[in-house]
Amino acid sequence: MSRTAGKHLFFFLLVCAFLLPMSLNALDFGLLLNQGVGFNGGVGDSTVDYEAVLVPRFSFLIGNSASAYVSASFRALYEHDNWLVVPELLRTEFNWNRGSNDFSIGRMVYIDPINLVAAGLFDGVRFSHHNVWGTLGFGLWYTGFLYKNRANIAMTDADTVSVETVDLNWGDFFNTYFASRRVMASLFWEHPSVAERLGFSAALIGQIDLNNDESHTHHSQYIIAKATLPHSRFIFELGGAVELAQITRDDEAEIRIALAGDVGLHWMPVSRLHSMVSFNGRFTSGRTENGPLTAFTPITSLSHGDILQADIPGLSVLTLGYTVRLRHELSAVLSTSYFVRSDRGSYIAYPVNGEELPGYFLGSEFFGRLMWSPISDMSLNVGGGIFLPALGDVAPNVDPLWRIEMSATFALR
């Protein structure tokens, strides 16, 4: 199939995804419009970015035991003095329910127990069985048909270059739109209240690299578990993951082990205001000179921090946050995060900027946000913050980063 024909096929499938529910008398339709603008500064010239997203969605019934949900997005971006328009097929999930069994096929959401290894949309199938012992399930998915900036897979150097530096090019659509090609499988179990006290979830995840990049491949398996204990006005969380990776670089193969941890403490104080104080800590192993331990590499790279937006491999993040509802329609969030390197080589972005620098403490960011929702179908957000390398020892003389952002969301139900 030629690239031109493939691009036409992509748009044909996108249109069919919406004509299908319309022809089946969809029971529910919604339209979401989000617009946001951000102002950035601190390193080099100040920049402005703008994003407008239109998300139509349908949900409908198929007989008495099946349902479907179809959504897409049409996104217009302005950043780095360039405009970019990106169409994307989002969740396209068909679900069958038979008693205690669920079966889903299509593009669906999957999130691992600690929301660190794999989180987002994936194409494939999922089966779940529910009983008194909890929910036991299995899923098998493929990532190569997703939009690369949605999947955000950066396990190898080629993955990272594709996501961070190669923009969508309509003249080379197939090589610049789609995500890294990987097959992912998950066997998962969860129970909301073991012994009526403890919530528990666990998963075994494996992924195979199908990119045919002979210079660098990355296969990996993960064991993940998380426990949640609510007590009075507190919620305690403890989770972790072990990664076993098979990495090949230029015909040299090695087996590596990586570790990740996740802890959380949430307190809801007695107050006239609905509020919560939260502490979250995420820890990942670093790369050692000798021995099998390496930097933890998730399948999907989730950004950590509102300003720094750092990838987690070789990094630990400590976050203290306060959320409060000032009025029924007005809420506020305040947070501060501190970033620590697990080694001196895995994390190379700002404020390191690719240099070999001593020290492990990158610095701290402070961020605040106001959210106003006068009606249920509209919300307005204003946020801003700053990242201060001066509070660390890696690059204390580097200029701080700052960001101010505003967004408005409108929903048509």
Side-chain angles (χ1 to χ4, degrees), residues 46-343:
S46 299
T47 61
V48 177
D49 58 75
Y50 171 79
E51 179 181 64
V53 185
L54 183 67
V55 181
R57 55 117 182 128
F58 294 93
S59 60
F60 53 97
L61 298 177
I62 305 174
N64 296 323
S65 59
S67 62
Y69 186 98
V70 180
S71 64
S73 75
F74 301 89
R75 185 184 308 265
L77 300 167
Y78 176 80
E79 56 185 4
H80 309 303
D81 298 324
N82 291 313
W83 281 97
L84 182 65
V85 178
V86 181
E88 187 181 356
L89 188 62
L90 298 179
R91 183 180 162 200
T92 311
E93 182 177 355
F94 298 85
N95 180 268
W96 286 266
N97 179 274
R98 298 288 180 138
S100 59
N101 299 317
D102 288 324
F103 178 77
S104 298
I105 185 170
R107 181 163 293 182
M108 65 194 71
V109 175
Y110 174 75
I111 301 175
D112 71 88
I114 61 174
N115 192 21
L116 182 63
V117 174
L121 293 169
F122 300 94
D123 293 319
V125 297
R126 176 175 56 201
F127 172 80
S128 301
H129 175 72
H130 312 276
N131 57 36
V132 294
W133 301 105
T135 298
L136 178 65
F138 174 79
L140 180 66
W141 300 281
Y142 177 65
T143 65
F145 295 136
L146 300 166
Y147 175 49
K148 63 180 182 180
N149 284 14
R150 172 74 60 179
N152 204 22
I153 299 173
M155 304 192 74
T156 66
D157 296 338
D159 291 345
T160 303
V161 169
S162 176
V163 172
E164 295 184 355
T165 64
V166 180
D167 292 331
L168 172 60
N169 182 351
W170 289 103
D172 192 14
F173 179 78
F174 263 69
N175 290 324
T176 60
Y177 183 92
F178 293 105
S180 178
R181 297 186 294 272
R182 298 174 184 274
V183 170
M184 183 181 79
S186 175
L187 177 65
F188 55 90
W189 174 74
E190 59 182 16
H191 197 295
S193 182
V194 178
E196 299 183 354
R197 292 287 297 174
L198 183 70
F200 190 82
S201 57
L204 298 175
I205 297 178
Q207 67 84 26
I208 301 174
D209 191 340
L210 300 180
N211 288 291
N212 297 321
D213 183 358
E214 296 180 357
S215 64
H216 190 182
T217 60
H218 191 122
H219 310 297
S220 53
Q221 298 83 45
Y222 307 84
I223 302 174
I224 311 163
K226 182 177 181 178
T228 303
L229 176 63
H231 178 72
S232 184
R233 291 186 169 270
F234 292 89
I235 300 176
F236 303 91
E237 298 175 319
L238 180 63
V242 178
E243 175 192 6
L244 177 65
Q246 300 85 45
I247 304 171
T248 302
R249 293 179 182 268
D250 299 322
D251 296 327
E252 294 186 5
E254 59 179 340
I255 305 296
R256 305 284 281 178
I257 298 174
L259 307 173
D262 181 80
V263 298
L265 172 60
H266 312 279
W267 173 48
M268 291 157 283
V270 179
S271 167
R272 291 184 302 171
L273 302 175
H274 296 284
S275 62
M276 181 169 66
V277 179
S278 297
F279 170 79
N280 293 94
R282 289 202 154 177
F283 314 92
T284 65
S285 61
R287 185 173 55 205
T288 57
E289 294 296 330
N290 298 304
L293 198 64
T294 190
F296 189 86
T297 305
I299 299 173
T300 56
S301 296
L302 304 177
S303 297
H304 291 74
D306 293 283
I307 307 295
L308 191 62
Q309 295 186 347
D311 293 336
I312 199 64
L315 203 64
S316 296
V317 185
L318 304 175
T319 301
L320 181 64
Y322 177 65
T323 303
V324 60
R325 174 172 286 183
L326 302 171
R327 299 181 61 180
H328 177 73
E329 71 281 359
L330 183 64
S331 300
V333 177
L334 299 173
S335 66
T336 178
S337 297
Y338 200 82
F339 298 81
V340 183
R341 293 196 292 177
S342 303
D343 62 52

Side-chain angles (χ1 to χ4, degrees), residues 327-399:
R327 299 181 61 180
H328 177 73
E329 71 281 359
L330 183 64
S331 300
V333 177
L334 299 173
S335 66
T336 178
S337 297
Y338 200 82
F339 298 81
V340 183
R341 293 196 292 177
S342 303
D343 62 52
R344 297 178 180 177
S346 297
Y347 181 83
I348 59 174
Y350 169 92
V352 179
N353 296 326
E355 298 184 40
E356 294 185 2
L357 299 175
Y360 291 92
F361 302 100
L362 295 175
S364 183
E365 76 169 38
F366 303 87
F367 197 87
R369 187 186 303 277
L370 279 175
M371 297 161 288
W372 181 51
S373 182
I375 59 176
S376 60
D377 294 332
M378 182 180 74
S379 65
L380 304 174
N381 295 345
V382 178
I386 189 169
F387 178 86
L388 299 174
L391 297 181
D393 64 355
V394 172
N397 297 320
V398 173
D399 291 338

